[in-house]
Each structure stands twice: as structure tokens, then as C-alpha cells.
Amino acid sequence: QVQLVESGGGSVQAGGSLRLSCAASGLTFSRYGMGWFRQAPGKEREFVAAIAWSGGSTDYADSVKGRFTISRDNAKNGVYLQMNSLKPEDTAVYYCAASNTGLTLRVGLSYDVWGQGTQVTVSS
């Protein structure tokens, strides 16, 4: 069974940090491009960051560039999102997703597998 499970969400004050993790199972993880997306209440899902299958290429939304870092460990079937200098507008449910293209992609429809999401709440 193909599965992505996020963890690491929580509540933090503005300026704080969180590290999200996504554990993959049931797929050849090292062949997949991985992405993080988020959805705030009343808003559409938006791209946050992506990393190619090898980890050699990354992409970030302008809103998080310089604050968030995506990484992966193919030996552990895991992808991570280090979030620093968090702002209240970062509050959302964060989802990880896997794309069998292996590429860094910004479009959600390009991803084949999604996790259930983890809540991140940033208070001012």
C-alpha cells in the first residue's frame, strides 16, 4: 500500500521554527519527486516547496524562499521541511506529495500520492 504520513506540525509563535517530516512507504521513494503544499482555511491549496528525486534540485514558493528548506533522505524514505522565521500567514494544513516524474513540480495535479496533512498554527 502506497502511503505518505506527515508529522511534526503544531503550534508556535511568530518567529519560531518547526520541522515537518513525511515518511513514505509502498513506493520506490528514490524515483519520486517530492513536494510540500499547504491549504489555509477558505483558501486554495498552494505550492510550498519541491525536491527532485536525487535531491539535486529544489524549488520554493516566493513566500517561503529564504525561510523554508526542503530536504530528503532516500535511505530513510523521508522528506523534510524545515520552517524558520514562521509568520501567522504560514498557518495551514501542510501536505506532502509524491510525483513519479521525479521532478520538482509546482502543480498539484502532477503529483500521484498525497499524505493526510499536518496542521501548522503560527500565532502572533
Side-chain angles (χ1 to χ4, degrees), residues 8-122:
S11 297
V12 64
Q13 289 191 329
S17 298
L18 284 174
R19 185 176 187 251
L20 305 184
S21 298
C22 174
S25 60
L27 52 78
T28 307
F29 180 75
S30 61
R31 295 181 181 177
Y32 280 73
M34 300 298 296
W36 285 97
F37 291 76
R38 67 187 182 186
Q39 188 167 21
K43 295 187 176 181
E44 293 188 351
R45 181 180 63 195
E46 65 174 356
F47 168 76
V48 176
I51 187 166
W53 65 274
S54 65
S57 176
T58 57
D59 188 23
Y60 296 93
D62 288 344
S63 59
V64 307
K65 199 171 295 183
R67 300 188 297 123
F68 291 12
T69 303
I70 188 171
S71 62
R72 67 188 295 158
D73 185 339
N74 286 346
K76 296 184 177 180
N77 286 4
V79 62
Y80 313 98
L81 187 68
Q82 178 66 43
M83 306 186 294
N84 298 330
S85 302
L86 282 161
K87 305 175 181 180
E89 51 263 43
D90 294 319
T91 295
V93 177
Y94 284 70
Y95 301 88
C96 72
S99 170
N100 62 14
T101 67
L103 303 174
T104 55
L105 299 170
R106 293 190 167 212
V107 178
L109 289 176
S110 300
Y111 289 82
D112 313 286
V113 186
W114 292 82
Q116 83 289 347
T118 186
Q119 176 71 46
V120 171
T121 303
V122 184

